Amino acid sequence: MTTGLIWVIVALGLGCVLMRRRSVVVALVGVQSLCVAALAIALVPSRPSEFLPAALTLVLRAVVIVVLLVIAIRRTRHALPGGEETVPFSRLVVAGAIIAALVALIPAFGLESRLAERGAVALIATGLALLVTRRATVMQVVALLVAENGIAVAAVNVSGGLPVAVELGVAFDLVLVVTVAVVFHDRIFDMFGTTDTRILRGLRD
Amino acid sequence: MCAALIVVLAAIGLVHAGTPATGPGYVIDGPGGVFLAVIGVVGLISALISPAYLHDHRRARTGALRSRQLYYAGLYLFWAALVAVPVVNNLGIAWLVVEATTAASALMVAFAGTRNALEAGWKYLVLTSVGLTVALMGIVMLYASGPHGAATLSALDWSTLAHQAPHLDQSTTLAAFCVILAGLATKVGWAPVHNWLPDAHSEAPPPVSALLSAALLPTVALVAWRLDEALRAALDARAVQAIFIGFGLLSLGVAIPFLWKSLAWKRFLAYSSLEHMGVIAFGIGIDNRWATAGVLIHVAGHAIAKALGFSMAIPLLRYQPAASQRAPRGIARLSRPLSVGMGVSLFALGAVPPSPLFFSEALILFGGFVAGQVVVTSIAAVLLAMGFIGVAHMAIEAFAGAPFERRLPGSRTAVWISGLATACTVGLLAVASIAYVLPYSTLAAALTGGAG
């Protein structure tokens, strides 16, 4: 089950790279976050003290963040970037290249399975690819979330799990950063009439 | 009151430089003491000059994020998060606190509510958050590669990491260290991952710019430095040295062409921050008692000079509002107190003797030659000399010639400018005065593992 979930999580990340509509991408990253939580939930029966807090934190984090992003999208319905954004195939090629490079560069680092290590690194790479190829503010927040999901995959597969304080702290910080990002998203839309970050090119030397 | 408490903590750290005071979750040691003192002083200056900024900002045109309460809430949250970074005794908690500074300060960067401020705030938020996510991946890698057992937070304590380092796999630890450092570099503003820095520093309110440049950047560098210290036994020293020196030279090299350009005052100071973070990275890479002492003096001297420089932006924009977009001119004819304040900041940043930055850069370069790093140290010396030309260019442009605008200031403005400039000059001279003894102190020894 764990192996299959990791593949699904990586595939959902690539789906975020391919899909154009923000609502679809937010749905994909929401499902991805819940799949990561499912990885932790699967470990709860055998090691409840280590993975129950992690599972609850991941579920709560996924729900709160998706709600924040849905609110952001609903307020800025007609703000989709225009047709000049990179075509899906090019985005996939960029993501594939970054994934291949990082998976080759990062050695085994002690997770319970090599697949989990590669999956985690692939998700970080997918986040970086999203950041450089997508222009809408929401897409750049999704880039951060996909990368954070990669870290969560790694954290769930650490023997004994990560300390609860770190899990909680990371989730709190992520929600805080996404909240601030949603505030910026609203302000950028109010000021520029779009959430396409290509408009943010006023500061040059 | 806050600043006094921070300075007391700093004093405890400096007094116990050889024998740090530690407890559950905290450490107060010599290096932490230096950084705490810096954060305390810069935070105090930022808080003191904030009313002047808010007074002027009330008359500015746009921005919905503006409100006095929001401003002070953001400023104090940012300051509080910064204070925690040198005190926490744990890599994981240090990461959490550094990430918290991003959330608090990003809104402050966009406080003016202008198009440029929003752009700068967004870039800052996204780039540093992604960078810190990469750093977190490195921390998970480091944690996973350690001895397995029950999940305990103490496994990431600086002291535990140092204790376990000899037993860690070298290649995995080096990979984790590189990933963490690459992530932290985005927050420190080391080239080539510095893109947010000039924009955020130039668009943030001056008191926030002072905290960002003089306190935040070096404090995050301290996390990287502590990690280097903790993992020393597991890392290839030459590789780590090469990484830090590489960041240092690249940052210097990237900053210099911009220092030569005719830039607005705050944007010039932003590129100066990039240059000085490069000097700090270079000194950390050299890693002997002279370079380490140089880095500590550089952190303190740069903080005072930069805090003064950003503070002067407030009266400067009163005299010459257009100086927000172009280089200031004719300041010497406009206002003697302002020209003194800007001059002290500029000459201190340009490492003109008796600036502490003159002594710190001399110590770092001397340390580089002593360490046998002749080629890279020579390159650094040339780059620093080229950087000085940029500072001299700004000095000539700002002080000489005819002013392009003139607005008469109030006499109260002249009083606080003079007071701040005098206090900062005294502070700079005090920092410079310890340059002779610091290389032989327990403080420098503590950061080099007692090695010469």
Side-chain angles (χ1 to χ4, degrees), chain A residues 3-23:
Chain A
T3 304
L5 263 179
I6 291 174
W7 280 110
V8 169
I9 290 165
V10 173
L12 287 166
L14 292 174
C16 294
V17 174
L18 278 173
M19 294 297 153
R20 182 163 182 266
R21 293 189 64 82
R22 296 176 309 170
S23 52

Side-chain angles (χ1 to χ4, degrees), chain B residues 9 11 447:
Chain B
L9 276 180
L447 271 166

Side-chain angles (χ1 to χ4, degrees), chain B residues 343-387:
Chain B
V344 169
S345 174
L346 262 186
F347 287 112
L349 292 171
V352 177
S355 162
L357 301 196
F358 169 78
F359 297 107
S360 63
E361 289 174 4
L363 279 168
I364 290 169
L365 294 176
F366 179 70
F369 286 120
V370 169
Q373 299 281 357
V374 177
V375 175
V376 289
T377 307
S378 302
I379 294 170
V382 171
L383 290 172
L384 285 170
M386 292 165 78

